[in-house]
Amino acid sequence: MPSLSYLVARLLQIIPTFLLVMIFIFLLVRLLPGDPAIAMAEAKATDAQLEQIRHNLGLDQPLPVQFLVFVKNTLTGDLGRSIMLKAPVTEIILSRLPTTIYLALYSVVLAILLAGPLAFVAASRVNSPVDVAIRSIFQVGLSMPVFYIGLLLLTVLAAQLRWFPVGGYGKTFLANLYHLILPALSVALYTSAIILRNLRASLIEVLDADYVQFARAKGLSPRIIMTRHVLRNALVSTVTLLGLSIGNLMSGTLVTETVFAIPGVGRLMLEAIFARDYPLIQGLTLTFAVLVSVVFLLTDVVQSWLDPRLRQS
Amino acid sequence: MKRILPIMLGATLGLLAATSAFAIERGGAMTFARYDDSTVIDPVYADRNPDLWMVNGLYETLLRNGPDGSIVPGLAEAHEVSADGKTITLTLRSGLKFSDGSDLTGADVVFSLDRARDANLGPWAGLLGAVDKVTADGNKITVSLKNPDPTIISILATFNTGIMPKAAFEKAAGATDQEKARAFFAAGPVTSGPFVMKSHVQGSSMSFERNPNYWRQGADGKALPYLDRVEFLVIPDDATRILKLQAGEVDAAEFIPFARVGELGADPNLKMELFPSTRIVYAPINTREAKKDGSKNPLADVRVRQALNYATDKTVLIKLVTFDTGKPMTSLMSAATQLHYGPEPLYPYDPEKAKQLLADAGLSGGFEVKLTTLAGSADDATLFTALQQMWAPLGVNLKVEQVDNPTRGEKNRSGDFDIHTYGWANDVNDPAQVTGWLGYYKQRQAVGTGWNNQEFNTLFEASNIETDPAKRKGEYKRMQEIYATEAPLLFLFETPFAVAVSKSIEGYVQTPLGANDFSEAWRAD
C-alpha cells in the first residue's frame, strides 16, 4: 500500500486545484451573456423589479466583493441559495447527489463487466474473427452519442418490448438496479468501448513480453501467469483510463439524466445553466471538482499499489 | 311546433349530458408527465409557468373562470361592483372548509389578499396595485380600490389571489414570510382547492390527493374532484415523455412537440388534445431610429415593417413549424383573449405589396437584417430558413444570430437586436396584461421594440380605469387597430396546448391560460 506521506501530499495538492476551480468557475459563469435576474423573472418583470432581484442576490456588488463573499461562504460550508429553486444549494445538491453517484458507479461496474472478459477473449485470439467482431461492435458504441444510444435502448427495450421502465427512478437499492439499467447501460457502452480497446492492447503487449514468455517456459500454469504477471501489469494503464473516464462520465450524466428523467446533479446542472443560477452552478461545479479529485486520488492509490515504481516519484 | 322543437332538442341534449355524467365513476388515480417541475406552489411566490399552472389545483380563488373564460362564482357565491367602480363586495359561501377541516373565513381572505398585494413578497403584487384595503365582516368581503380598475374582477379569479389558511400559515416555523412559506409547503400544506399535496420530490415527482372538504360539485351532483390521486412525473425530454405514454406508464403527457401530433393522434389508445390557448408566437421588431451600434435602422420606417409582414407567408410557417395546428394572428393578442378584435388574419402573404412598400421607403436595393433566435430550437431554425427564403426576392438579406434564453432576454431589454423570436401566454384572463406588455411604451418599451405611440399609450391608460365595459371594448378595438397598422412585430401565429391523454382518462383540461385543471378529470375504465 502507498505510504501515509504519499497520501497526505496528494491530498494537499487538491487545495490549489480547488482554489483555481473556484476562481475559474466564478468568472466563467459571470462571463456568460444574460442575467440571472432576467432568467429568473422571465419576460414579465419590470426594470425596477429586476433591480430589486439583483440587489437581493448581491449581484449589484463589484465582482471582487462578490468573489470574496463566495470564498468566505464556501469555506464555512455555505454555498448560498439557489436562485431557481429558492433553497440552500448544499441541501439541494445533497438530495440529488446520491442518485448520480449510484448511476455513475452502476455504469462503471457494467462497463468493467462488459469490457473485461471481452478484452481477454479478444487479446487471446488476436485478429481472429471473434476479435474483429468484438472490436467492431464496440467501435459502434464509441462512435454513437450517449443520448442516441439511450433513446435507442428506450425505444426498443422499454417502449416496445416493455422489459424495463421508460426512465424514472426507483425507491430502494434493488428497485434502482432495475430502473437505472438502461441509462447505466447507455453510459457503460461508451466507457466499456474505451476500456476494451486499451485493455486489449495492453494485454497483447504484456502477453508478448519477455517475462511472460519466461514464465511460460518455466512451466507456470496459465492461471498463475494470467493473475500474477499479465493482469497486474496490463491493468496499470487501464486504471488510469478508467479514472479519466469517470470524469467524463460525470459530464455524460448531464445528457443521460435528462433523457431518462433521472433527478440527479447532472440534469440539475443543465437546468442551473439555463436559469443562470450562479450559486447553484458554482456549488455543482465545486461538487464535480471534489468528486473528480477523489476519483483521481483513488486512481493514483490503486496505480501505486499495482506498480510500486510510481511511489518513488 | 316552432316552440316544441327547441324544447325537445334541449331535452335530448340534457338527457345525453345527464347519462354521460351518470357514467362518471369516482376514485382512482392518474399519472401525468410534466416537462418541468414546480419549485414552489405558493400562490404569491409562484413565478414560473410550471409553478403557477399548478396553483389552482391547491388554492381556490374567490371567483373562477368558466370554460369559456367568463367569470363565474368561486369561494364567493356573489359579487357586486359599486356604481363608482371603487368598491367590490363579495359574499363568501357558507360552510367553506380548508383541507384540514378548519373553517375558511373572511379573515383568511383578508390575509391572502393582503399577502398577494405586498410588493415585498411575490412578483405578481402589481396585479392588485389598485387595491387600497380589504376588510371582512362575517361572510361579507369588501375590496376598496384607490381608483376604478376594470381588471380587478379577473384578478380575483387569478392564481395569485388563491385563498390560504391564515392560522396554519402563521403557525409555520420561520421569522419571515419566505421562511414560513417554505416550512408551510414542506409540511404538506393546508389547501382550499380541489387537491392537497401529499409528497414532492424536487425534480422528480409530486403527488396530489383529493381534498375531502372541497366545495364544488360536478355535473352529476357528486363532490369534486372525482380522482383520488394525481401523480406527477417530471420528464424534461420530449421523446422520453412520449415513450412513457406509449408504454402505458403514464396517462397523459404535456407539451407534445407539434411534429408528433399527427402520429399520436393516429394511436388508437390515445386522444391527442389541442386545447385552445392564449399562446402567441411573434417576433418583436426594433423600431428605434438608430440601432444599438449607432447605425441607421431601416426598421424604424413603418412601411418596412409592414413590407416584412406582407413578405411572410404565415400559412407556410404554420405548416412548417406547427404542423398545421396553429393559426395566423389576427391581433396583438390571441383570439382566445377577452376583448380580442381582429376580423381577419394580419398581413396576408402579398410579395408585390411588400416590394412596393419597400420601394416607397427607398429600400428597393435591399438591406440586411439580423434575426436573433434560440440556439437549439428546431422551431426557430425552421422559421429562420423559411424567412430567409421568403425575404430574399425583396433583396432582404437575413442573417441569423443564435443565443440562449437569458441572452435573448438581455438583448430584448437593451434593444440590441433587429428582430428576435418570442412567445407569450396570458397569466390573467384580461387583455390588459398582454396589451400592456406588447404595446405600452412605459411598461417595457412595448416588448422591447421601442415603439412609442401616443394614441395607443393614452388609450391604454384610459382603459385601465374604464368601468364602462362598452367603452373599454371600444378602446381595445382601437388599440388593436393601431397596433396592427404600426406593426412593431412580425405577426406569426397562435398555437394550442398539445397534450396527449390516454383513452381511459376523461375531463382533463388545460385552460387557455395554461393551467392544468384536474378537478373534473376521471378514469373511464
Side-chain angles (χ1 to χ4, degrees):
Chain A
M1 279 302 286
S3 67
L4 192 66
S5 60
Y6 172 81
L7 278 179
V8 172
R10 274 297 278 109
L11 275 173
L12 286 177
Q13 280 171 16
I14 292 179
I15 295 172
T17 311
F18 277 166
L19 206 62
L20 279 175
V21 166
M22 280 173 78
I23 298 174
F24 190 63
I25 193 61
F26 177 84
L27 291 175
L28 202 66
V29 291
R30 279 160 183 81
L31 276 176
L32 286 173
D35 169 343
I38 293 178
M40 181 182 171
E42 231 323 302
K44 290 163 187 172
T46 62
D47 290 340
Q49 278 171 324
L50 288 184
E51 271 316 306
Q52 184 62 43
I53 294 173
R54 282 189 204 107
H55 177 73
N56 292 349
L57 300 173
L59 297 173
D60 52 354
Q61 302 282 327
L63 275 191
V65 176
Q66 289 187 40
F67 183 67
L68 286 180
V69 171
F70 169 51
V71 173
K72 192 185 124 229
N73 288 346
T74 306
L75 289 179
T76 56
D78 173 12
L79 294 174
R81 283 178 77 81
S82 156
I83 298 172
M84 168 177 80
L85 298 173
K86 302 173 181 77
V89 167
T90 326
E91 202 177 286
I92 298 168
I93 293 179
L94 286 180
S95 74
R96 298 269 195 117
L97 193 57
T99 314
T100 303
I101 293 181
Y102 189 107
L103 179 61
L105 288 179
Y106 197 177
S107 313
V108 171
V109 171
L110 277 182
I112 294 172
L113 286 180
L114 271 173
L118 288 172
F120 273 108
V121 174
S124 50
R125 298 173 200 185
V126 183
N127 290 334
S128 69
V130 182
D131 178 32
V132 174
I134 291 175
R135 277 190 295 154
S136 317
I137 292 170
F138 279 82
Q139 191 61 39
V140 174
L142 200 58
S143 45
M144 278 205 293
V146 172
F147 77 88
Y148 187 69
I149 298 180
L151 271 180
L152 270 185
L153 291 176
L154 270 184
T155 310
V156 178
L157 299 181
Q160 284 172 10
L161 298 172
R162 305 209 178 173
W163 289 351
F164 303 103
V166 182
Y169 188 63
K171 289 201 167 60
T172 62
F173 181 83
L174 283 177
N176 271 333
L177 277 185
Y178 174 61
H179 263 91
L180 295 182
I181 185 152
L182 293 185
L185 197 61
S186 65
V187 179
L189 281 180
Y190 181 82
T191 319
S192 59
I194 300 178
I195 299 175
L196 182 105
R197 271 165 58 132
N198 182 272
L199 189 57
R200 176 182 166 277
S202 23
L203 280 170
I204 293 170
E205 199 185 307
V206 176
L207 283 170
D208 222 26
D210 291 344
Y211 59 87
V212 177
Q213 306 284 2
F214 181 68
R216 283 212 189 99
K218 268 203 313 191
L220 285 179
S221 78
R223 198 174 61 87
I224 291 182
I225 296 177
M226 224 11 156
T227 48
R228 274 207 203 141
H229 298 281
V230 178
L231 199 54
R232 187 156 177 160
N233 287 302
L235 274 180
V236 177
S237 70
T238 308
V239 165
T240 319
L241 198 73
L242 194 63
L244 285 174
S245 64
I246 289 178
N248 263 340
L249 202 132
M250 296 310 285
S251 60
T253 57
L254 260 76
V255 177
T256 323
E257 290 182 353
T258 305
V259 170
F260 287 93
I262 301 163
V265 285
R267 196 174 105 201
L268 192 63
M269 182 65 139
L270 212 61
E271 289 164 5
I273 292 172
F274 281 129
R276 294 292 186 275
D277 192 336
Y278 292 173
L280 194 51
I281 300 174
Q282 286 166 181
L284 283 167
T285 315
L286 275 181
T287 311
F288 282 126
V290 172
L291 286 177
V292 171
S293 302
V294 169
V295 170
F296 283 4
L297 180 66
L298 286 176
T299 313
D300 285 355
V301 170
V302 173
Q303 257 184 344
S304 67
W305 169 69
L306 286 172
D307 187 350
R309 282 172 302 177
L310 290 170
R311 282 175 230 164
Q312 268 110 49
S313 53
Chain B
M1 192 61 194
K2 259 185 192 164
R3 261 198 205 156
I4 289 176
L5 204 62
I7 292 173
M8 279 181 56
L9 197 67
T12 321
L13 284 176
L15 199 67
L16 276 174
T19 32
S20 69
F22 281 131
I24 297 177
E25 266 191 57
R26 158 168 309 291
M30 82 173 272
T31 315
F32 188 86
R34 307 182 68 193
Y35 78 108
D36 196 359
D37 195 12
S38 306
T39 49
V40 51
I41 314 186
D42 183 309
V44 172
Y45 290 113
D47 59 0
R48 300 156 56 248
N49 283 341
D51 300 346
L52 46 96
W53 288 354
M54 283 281 144
V55 170
N56 291 117
L58 300 184
Y59 290 99
E60 190 83 340
T61 39
L62 291 174
L63 304 173
R64 298 174 48 85
N65 289 308
D68 59 345
S70 59
I71 299 289
V72 297
L75 293 177
E77 59 189 355
H79 72 276
E80 203 182 327
V81 184
S82 68
D84 66 354
K86 287 172 72 173
T87 310
I88 294 104
T89 317
L90 303 112
T91 315
L92 279 184
R93 286 170 201 280
S94 55
L96 288 172
K97 286 190 187 310
F98 283 110
S99 58
D100 66 346
S102 62
D103 289 336
L104 190 157
T105 67
D108 297 303
V109 175
V110 174
F111 163 78
S112 303
L113 296 189
D114 281 348
R115 199 169 163 259
R117 66 198 184 91
D118 185 339
N120 295 320
L121 303 181
W124 303 97
L127 295 179
L128 289 157
V131 175
D132 183 35
K133 211 167 68 181
V134 184
T135 52
D137 178 15
N139 64 346
K140 280 266 177 290
I141 311 289
T142 310
V143 180
S144 318
L145 305 180
K146 296 171 205 155
N147 46 268
D149 179 2
T151 68
I152 192 75
I153 297 299
S154 299
I155 306 293
L156 292 175
T158 302
F159 63 88
N160 71 319
T161 59
I163 304 305
M164 294 179 65
K166 179 174 194 266
F169 187 86
E170 285 177 345
K171 228 172 26 196
T176 63
D177 192 274
Q178 279 91 340
E179 286 168 14
K180 281 188 182 297
R182 209 167 124 67
F184 177 75
F185 278 90
V190 176
T191 65
S192 57
F195 295 95
V196 292
M197 189 157 76
K198 267 291 169 232
S199 68
H200 187 189
V201 183
Q202 186 65 56
S204 170
S205 64
M206 185 162 70
S207 161
F208 279 9
E209 269 179 28
R210 149 167 217 275
N211 170 4
N213 296 316
Y214 186 57
W215 67 276
R216 255 167 77 211
Q217 288 182 339
D220 57 353
K222 289 184 193 163
L224 291 179
Y226 296 121
L227 290 170
D228 290 329
R229 213 165 56 249
V230 185
E231 304 281 352
F232 299 96
L233 292 180
V234 181
I235 305 171
D237 188 79
D238 292 341
T240 312
R241 217 160 46 241
I242 293 171
L243 281 174
K244 198 113 176 148
L245 180 70
Q246 287 171 328
E249 291 175 37
V250 297
D251 297 312
E254 64 176 358
F255 284 95
I256 301 298
F258 293 123
R260 309 215 34 199
V261 163
E263 172 205 342
L264 295 181
D267 188 325
N269 301 315
L270 300 175
K271 284 180 291 190
M272 187 60 240
E273 306 267 23
L274 296 170
F275 293 109
S277 90
T278 55
R279 188 158 177 273
I280 47 180
V281 177
Y282 55 87
I285 302 175
N286 190 350
T287 68
R288 295 169 184 86
E289 286 300 326
K291 296 188 185 189
K292 185 81 174 171
D293 62 8
S295 62
K296 190 174 177 308
N297 179 15
L299 303 171
D301 188 327
V302 61
R303 290 169 296 188
V304 179
R305 301 197 297 269
Q306 290 173 335
L308 293 183
N309 264 296
Y310 277 123
T312 304
D313 190 342
K314 279 92 173 181
T315 46
V316 167
L317 295 182
I318 288 169
K319 203 182 269 306
L320 287 175
V321 180
T322 77
F323 292 79
D324 270 338
T325 60
K327 44 185 191 183
M329 285 174 77
T330 50
S331 150
L332 67 93
M333 61 185 79
S334 77
T337 310
Q338 311 283 306
L339 303 188
H340 161 268
Y341 171 78
E344 55 200 26
L346 292 175
Y347 297 97
Y349 185 51
D350 192 340
E352 285 314 309
K353 213 166 184 172
K355 220 171 262 176
Q356 186 56 50
L357 281 162
L358 282 188
D360 293 349
L363 282 171
S364 39
F367 60 102
E368 191 177 292
V369 175
K370 192 161 68 184
L371 180 69
T372 306
T373 63
L374 268 192
S377 158
D379 287 358
D380 274 15
T382 311
L383 204 62
F384 166 74
T385 325
L387 286 179
Q388 199 179 36
Q389 286 177 22
M390 289 171 189
W391 293 358
L394 298 175
V396 179
N397 180 12
L398 192 63
K399 299 268 179 201
V400 73
E401 174 184 47
Q402 293 184 304
V403 298
D404 71 354
N405 194 30
T407 311
R408 185 176 65 172
E410 191 170 88
K411 282 182 173 285
N412 173 275
R413 289 198 177 245
S414 59
D416 183 16
F417 68 97
D418 291 344
I419 306 179
H420 71 82
T421 55
Y422 233 22
W424 169 275
N426 296 351
D427 302 293
V428 182
N429 198 9
D430 186 276
Q433 194 200 17
V434 62
T435 309
W437 171 249
L438 285 180
Y440 185 49
Y441 184 79
K442 287 181 199 165
Q443 185 176 333
R444 277 266 309 101
Q445 303 194 355
V447 71
T449 60
W451 181 69
N452 192 355
N453 183 288
Q454 228 11 273
E455 189 189 354
F456 187 99
N457 295 341
T458 314
L459 280 167
F460 183 68
E461 282 163 12
S463 73
N464 278 344
I465 46 169
E466 181 56 68
T467 47
D468 179 345
K471 271 196 192 152
R472 191 163 183 253
K473 192 173 171 193
E475 286 159 353
Y476 268 93
K477 177 167 182 268
R478 181 71 193 126
M479 277 190 276
Q480 290 170 79
E481 284 168 352
I482 298 170
Y483 202 88
T485 315
E486 282 279 312
L489 305 180
L490 200 59
F491 297 99
L492 298 176
F493 41 80
E494 302 182 11
T495 66
F497 290 124
V499 186
V501 187
S502 150
K503 275 264 157 68
S504 57
I505 298 291
E506 299 282 346
Y508 167 74
V509 175
Q510 187 163 13
T511 73
L513 305 185
N516 309 96
D517 187 353
F518 297 91
S519 63
E520 296 185 52
W522 49 286
R523 189 169 265 288
D525 60 13

